[in-house]
Amino acid sequence: MKNKIDLLIGNCSWELITLPEAKKTLHNKWLYRVKNKQDDIKWYKDKLVGKDILTKVDVKPLRARVGAVSPVLFKNGEGCGACYKVRCLDKSICSRRAVTIIVTDECPGGYCSNGRTHFDLSGAAFGHMAINGESSQLRNRGELPVVYRRTPCKYPGKNIAFHVNEGATDYWLSLLVEFEDGDGDVGSMHIREASSNEWLEMNHLWGANWCIIGGPLKGPFSVKLTTLTTGRTLSARDVIPRNWSPKATYTSRLNFF
């Protein structure tokens, strides 16, 4: 594991620092998977995942049916949140049932490189495609031929929510978009302060995370988002209150469906 951590540091994925006062660490865990290639070659994969992420994707409405996709689909993070129906073509172990997955990450290297289209699915997503009683066998099969298509995202009973990312201040506001029906992706985001009629454009950070630098920024904030795929627009008025706080999630009364 030391080699892996050294590689993360060398690639500027993070920087090791002394924990600041009054701050807490984010609990993480390593996930390991063995995938079988052709000719009995094994491919060992590992991923460092935050504890809060594991908790959120394991319950409704995600039900852990999430996946990472190759860069051609992830689109430098703009494809994050998009939904696909994926169906396995191996009739010996797969049913005719497709699984709907939500894109939450990018899978770099290996099968995902060189412009290939690839889905790296969660165990729950793999199991959903299997013949009854064969879920474990399918999860251990490795690479499988599939067909896929884009499908509207559906979060029954949910409205679009905005999570204020840790570290946000009156001068740097960072938001994560959650539970977006329809396209699922975000092409642009703007915020408007309560005392202004001007919409301020936010910058895309990564995935469904957007930020704005300026200030001091004064809430409550209205948020306007435009989808990447079809250009549909939605505005949530005063969705983030005046006394907002980092790590809090604020739910709108709106969604695209």
Side-chain angles (χ1 to χ4, degrees), residues 30-80:
W30 288 96
L31 299 182
Y32 301 95
R33 183 188 300 174
V34 179
K35 303 185 76 172
N36 296 317
K37 293 184 179 181
Q38 296 177 352
D39 302 323
D40 295 326
I41 299 175
K42 293 185 181 296
W43 180 22
Y44 297 89
K45 297 194 65 180
D46 55 73
K47 182 183 294 187
L48 182 63
V49 181
K51 179 180 178 182
D52 289 344
I53 296 174
L54 288 172
T55 302
K56 288 183 178 181
V57 302
D58 199 36
V59 297
K60 291 182 179 181
L62 303 184
R63 297 180 183 274
R65 293 173 188 170
V66 296
V69 293
S70 52
V72 69
L73 294 177
F74 200 65
K75 304 173 185 176
N76 292 320
E78 291 183 337
C80 185

Side-chain angles (χ1 to χ4, degrees), residues 35 38 67-70 73 84-91 93-101 107 111-112 116-122 125-130 138-139 141-150:
K35 303 185 76 172
Q38 296 177 352
V69 293
S70 52
L73 294 177
Y84 291 86
K85 282 191 178 294
V86 182
R87 182 167 63 87
C88 171
L89 297 178
D90 188 340
K91 296 181 180 179
I93 197 169
C94 298
S95 68
R96 296 177 59 85
R97 182 173 58 238
V99 61
T100 299
I101 66 103
C107 59
Y111 290 121
C112 300
R116 295 188 183 98
T117 300
H118 185 78
F119 292 84
D120 190 358
L121 303 180
S122 66
F126 260 106
H128 186 78
M129 296 188 295
L138 182 59
R139 283 194 291 266
R141 183 64 66 90
E143 187 181 28
L144 292 164
V146 300
V147 291
Y148 70 94
R149 66 176 175 85
R150 187 76 179 268

Side-chain angles (χ1 to χ4, degrees), residues 2-250:
K2 184 180 184 303
N3 291 337
K4 184 69 174 183
I5 293 173
D6 289 344
L7 182 61
L8 289 171
I9 296 173
N11 288 334
C12 298
S13 300
W14 62 37
E15 179 183 359
L16 292 180
I17 64 171
T18 302
L19 184 67
E21 292 185 9
K23 296 295 182 179
K24 296 181 179 180
T25 58
L26 175 66
H27 295 286
N28 306 300
K29 76 181 293 186
W30 288 96
L31 299 182
Y32 301 95
R33 183 188 300 174
V34 179
K35 303 185 76 172
N36 296 317
K37 293 184 179 181
Q38 296 177 352
D39 302 323
D40 295 326
I41 299 175
K42 293 185 181 296
W43 180 22
Y44 297 89
K45 297 194 65 180
D46 55 73
K47 182 183 294 187
L48 182 63
V49 181
K51 179 180 178 182
D52 289 344
I53 296 174
L54 288 172
T55 302
K56 288 183 178 181
V57 302
D58 199 36
V59 297
K60 291 182 179 181
L62 303 184
R63 297 180 183 274
R65 293 173 188 170
V66 296
V69 293
S70 52
V72 69
L73 294 177
F74 200 65
K75 304 173 185 176
N76 292 320
E78 291 183 337
C80 185
C83 297
Y84 291 86
K85 282 191 178 294
V86 182
R87 182 167 63 87
C88 171
L89 297 178
D90 188 340
K91 296 181 180 179
S92 67
I93 197 169
C94 298
S95 68
R96 296 177 59 85
R97 182 173 58 238
V99 61
T100 299
I101 66 103
I102 303 154
V103 174
T104 57
D105 201 356
E106 180 183 64
C107 59
Y111 290 121
C112 300
S113 61
N114 300 321
R116 295 188 183 98
T117 300
H118 185 78
F119 292 84
D120 190 358
L121 303 180
S122 66
F126 260 106
H128 186 78
M129 296 188 295
I131 295 173
N132 289 339
E134 297 293 335
S135 297
S136 296
Q137 292 296 325
L138 182 59
R139 283 194 291 266
N140 294 328
R141 183 64 66 90
E143 187 181 28
L144 292 164
V146 300
V147 291
Y148 70 94
R149 66 176 175 85
R150 187 76 179 268
T151 190
C153 297
K154 297 179 181 179
Y155 299 101
K158 293 284 188 179
N159 288 327
I160 291 178
F162 301 95
H163 178 78
V164 181
N165 290 319
E166 184 174 3
T169 69
D170 292 338
Y171 294 87
W172 183 82
L173 179 62
S174 176
L175 303 177
L176 168 67
V177 183
E178 298 179 337
F179 307 126
E180 179 197 336
D181 278 344
D183 293 344
D185 52 25
V186 180
S188 66
M189 269 183 60
H190 295 74
I191 68 165
R192 185 180 64 194
E193 298 176 89
S195 59
S196 173
N197 292 322
E198 180 184 2
W199 286 102
L200 304 175
E201 185 174 4
M202 303 188 76
N203 298 311
H204 183 224
L205 289 175
W206 179 254
N209 293 282
W210 295 74
C211 81
I212 186 168
I213 300 174
L217 300 167
K218 296 181 180 179
F221 301 111
S222 300
V223 181
K224 178 172 67 175
L225 65 84
T226 303
T227 67
L228 176 68
T229 302
T230 62
R232 299 177 68 190
T233 298
L234 176 149
S235 299
R237 182 177 179 181
D238 296 342
V239 64
I240 300 175
R242 183 183 305 274
N243 59 339
W244 62 270
S245 61
K247 300 194 291 184
T249 299
Y250 301 101

